[in-house]
């Protein structure tokens, strides 16, 4: 009955290692580099489709760096999540991708749909880069939500 999120690091490992978990995972959003290494695909929708063919039933997606994030909340459904402007000068970009996933998960756990949770994740990433260190720039849920909803 618990919700499961999967995170990989480095090259992302192999699809053979990840695939058995995918039918049991509620959220998996690797970086483009990790996903391309795993799947052999370079196009984000093709990557998501490959994960779906492995049985992924939850939210899957691909972090695209400065191009945003592609999320798929269900087979055949795609949501483009844009990067959001940092609420201050950019000081330290590393950690933004992990912050995006953390914000996405926080939003999902609070009942947001995938689009709103994804925007909340993008806002978390935008905050992350404003201070040195992976967590120093993070803000409260409410402050981050205000950034996510600003401008639509």
């Amino acid at each position: 009955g618990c919700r499961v999120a999967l995170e990989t690091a480095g090259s992302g490992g192999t699809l053979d290692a990840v695939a058995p978990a995918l039918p049991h995972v509620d959220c998996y959003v690797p970086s483009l580099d990790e996903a391309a290494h795993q799947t052999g695909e370079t196009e984000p929708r093709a990557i998501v489709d490959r994960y779906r063919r492995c049985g992924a039933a939850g939210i899957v997606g691909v972090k695209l760096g400065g191009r945003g994030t592609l999320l798929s909340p269900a087979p055949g459904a795609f949501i483009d999540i844009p990067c959001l402007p940092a609420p201050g000068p950019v000081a330290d970009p590393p950690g933004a991708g992990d912050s995006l996933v953390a914000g996405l998960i926080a939003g999902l756990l609070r009942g947001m749909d995938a689009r709103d949770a994804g925007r909340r994740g993008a806002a978390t990433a935008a905050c992350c880069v404003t201070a040195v260190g992976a967590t120093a720039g993070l803000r409260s849920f409410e402050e981050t939500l205000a950034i996510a909803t600003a401008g639509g």
Side-chain angles (χ1 to χ4, degrees):
C2 68
R3 298 176 87 180
V4 177
L6 177 64
E7 177 68 6
T8 55
S11 71
T14 66
L15 188 58
D16 287 341
V18 172
L22 291 176
H24 310 286
V25 170
D26 296 295
C27 184
Y28 180 49
V29 186
S31 71
L32 179 59
D33 288 343
E34 292 166 339
H37 181 263
Q38 290 169 353
T39 65
E41 302 285 351
T42 56
E43 198 280 314
R45 287 182 183 228
I47 290 168
V48 168
D49 289 342
R50 182 72 180 101
Y51 291 142
R52 294 285 184 211
R53 288 194 306 275
C54 290
I59 294 172
V60 291
V62 184
K63 296 179 285 191
L64 304 171
R67 296 184 300 156
T69 303
L70 177 70
L71 292 180
S72 173
F78 296 95
I79 303 168
D80 290 308
I81 304 294
C83 285
L84 296 176
V90 174
D92 191 24
D98 289 338
S99 293
L100 182 137
V101 173
L104 169 68
I105 292 168
L108 293 170
L109 291 174
R110 289 182 181 227
M112 292 179 167
D113 64 23
R115 181 178 308 281
D116 289 344
R119 283 190 60 86
R120 203 249 180 227
T124 306
C127 292
C128 172
V129 303
T130 63
V132 176
T135 61
L138 299 183
R139 301 178 183 196
S140 72
F141 186 89
E142 293 74 21
E143 289 175 285
T144 308
L145 185 58
I147 293 165
T149 57

